[in-house]
Amino acid sequence: MNKLSDRLNSLSSSATLAMSQKSGELKAQGVDVINLSVGEPDFNTPDHIKEAAKKAIDENYSKYSPVPGYPALRKAIVGKLKKENGLDYTITQISCSNGAKQCVCNAVLALVNPGDEVVIPAPYWVSYPEMVKLANGKPVFVSAGIDQNFKITPAQLEAVITPKTRAFILCSPSNPTGSVYNKEELAGLANVLIKHPDVIVIADEIYEHINYIGKHYSLAQYPGMKERTVIINGVSKAYAMTGWRIGFMAGPEWIIKGCNKLQGQYTSGPCSVSQKAAEAAYTTSQVEVGKMCKAFERRRDLIVKLAKDVPGFEVNIPEGAFYLFPKCCSYFGKSVNDCTITSAEDLAMFLLNDAHVACVGGTSFGDPECIRMSYATSDENIVEAIRRIKVSLAKLK
Ligand code: PMP
Ligand code: GLU
């Protein structure tokens, strides 16, 4: 009777969304919660993008679009990839979906057969392993701790590739660590991948524009790699458009065609009005993007400075995205009243209940010793959140 499929029963819920929901519920009860759990810009979508959407409504962009998105949007994305990344694509090599999340899932479902292995550097974004599991594939993790700035080495990658490896998912700038692979580090990974032509790279570059170390590099830019790399990107983070749900993938036509077939059966093209807004985002002034990145960088500096001062926290310096991923396992085994902290999840729950600050435990990101904090919030919230965290942590003995 009330029995879900085995596929669903083996799937974990999204820890980021779950924590954000918990924090919302507490807020609704009148508790003054500072939400550092979900990763989304606190800025509003720039006005000129909103205007483009209003115009699209008036111009009756209200019908189904082509499955991979309107040609005009895909043309705008081709232009972005040429101008910003120096990469040549045609519009038939672009497919737009309901956010970058659906793009990653489409790529995984289009490529992975039951039993295929997908290499995922850990820490990872919570949804990658679950998407691989949906495809009945096997996630293979390569761990990089805070001591190596959460970045894997070429030797580590080489060591896990087997004849069963179908794909490699790289997220740079990274959620949840903020680490960014620079030009030389990517070259090292490309040198390994080039020896394994059957491995497809899924390069999640959704945080491309939130990068504090300079130019963004993509694995698709290295010799021989574009032919087997799927770039994932979208408007959610760069343009503060998380709710509009537009992401894109750019890659070899055979993969794009496969994803379009899949998407044609279960969602069709993404929202017509949002597509027109995204087209405006890619074809108009990029000034706002730079301004938002500067604000995130200032907040990064602030939260790093404050978090370094929290006893028992070990902190890296994130180079992009808007997350801090402090190691906090020195609190494991400590207690207050009848509450004992045995994991990062316990610590996150304690901080939510005691400090009214919502963070996410690191286990579902593949590092059970850390917690993730999103600093895409105001300076005041950052200062107050860390103050409260310090007060609460001091109670643990
Ligand atoms: N990839 C990563 C690494 C992310 O953090 C997110 C944020 N949700 C996504 C993909 C999905 O983005 P979108 O909102 O466009 O679906
Ligand atoms: N990417 C964001 C996060 O990691 C949004 C939530 C989600 O889609 O997981 O918090």
Side-chain angles (χ1 to χ4, degrees), residues 102-368:
Q102 191 187 1
C103 296
V104 180
C105 200
N106 280 353
V108 168
L109 289 173
L111 292 168
V112 174
N113 272 321
D116 282 353
E117 295 175 357
V118 177
V119 174
I120 304 176
Y124 45 75
W125 179 43
V126 291
S127 295
Y128 299 148
E130 302 309 311
M131 290 171 177
V132 172
K133 276 163 44 189
L134 268 184
N136 289 322
K138 184 176 164 222
V140 173
F141 303 115
V142 192
S143 291
I146 197 165
D147 51 314
Q148 52 189 89
N149 204 10
F150 300 115
K151 290 190 257 190
I152 63 162
T153 63
Q156 283 182 291
L157 176 60
E158 181 88 71
V160 294
I161 294 182
T162 74
K164 286 191 152 186
T165 308
R166 183 62 177 129
F168 169 55
I169 306 184
L170 188 74
C171 181
S172 177
S174 158
N175 175 3
T177 66
S179 296
V180 179
Y181 285 81
N182 64 31
K183 192 176 177 183
E184 291 70 35
E185 288 161 342
L186 285 179
L189 299 182
N191 285 341
V192 172
L193 291 161
I194 208 73
K195 291 186 272 176
H196 302 279
D198 291 336
V199 179
I200 304 291
V201 174
I202 300 176
D204 186 343
E205 303 179 2
I206 190 78
Y207 296 99
E208 167 179 10
H209 294 96
I210 308 169
N211 175 336
Y212 319 127
I213 60 166
K215 204 168 153 37
H216 171 81
Y217 289 94
S218 169
L219 269 177
Q221 292 166 325
Y222 292 79
M225 292 304 298
K226 182 168 165 261
E227 293 68 26
R228 53 200 187 83
T229 299
V230 180
I231 291 181
I232 309 287
N233 208 328
V235 293
S236 295
K237 315 290 170 168
Y239 301 93
M241 292 176 69
T242 44
W244 297 78
R245 310 308 302 131
I246 298 290
F248 73 80
M249 69 166 77
E253 207 164 321
W254 64 274
I255 300 178
I256 299 298
K257 273 192 178 158
C259 290
N260 292 344
K261 180 162 81 167
L262 181 67
Q263 183 158 298
Q265 286 290 21
Y266 84 113
T267 60
S268 300
C271 168
S272 54
V273 174
S274 296
Q275 287 192 49
K276 294 307 286 178
E279 181 190 327
Y282 285 124
T283 51
T284 54
S285 163
Q286 303 296 302
V287 170
E288 292 300 319
V289 179
K291 275 194 201 159
M292 289 190 267
C293 179
K294 273 271 158 268
F296 288 132
E297 186 172 6
R298 201 193 59 247
R299 295 161 177 188
R300 185 274 312 257
D301 293 343
L302 178 65
I303 197 164
V304 165
K305 184 170 125 262
L306 297 171
K308 275 190 166 169
D309 222 32
V310 176
F313 270 16
E314 196 181 327
V315 173
N316 71 316
I317 301 189
E319 300 157 324
F322 35 61
Y323 305 103
L324 188 69
F325 201 58
K327 187 167 164 179
C328 55
C329 53
S330 62
Y331 287 99
F332 297 178
K334 296 195 174 182
S335 314
V336 55
N337 302 327
D338 56 354
C339 165
T340 302
I341 307 298
T342 62
S343 65
E345 284 58 47
D346 284 354
L347 194 70
M349 203 44 79
F350 169 69
L351 292 177
L352 181 63
N353 292 327
D354 197 81
H356 300 152
V357 177
C359 308
V360 191
T363 306
S364 39
F365 297 98
D367 191 331

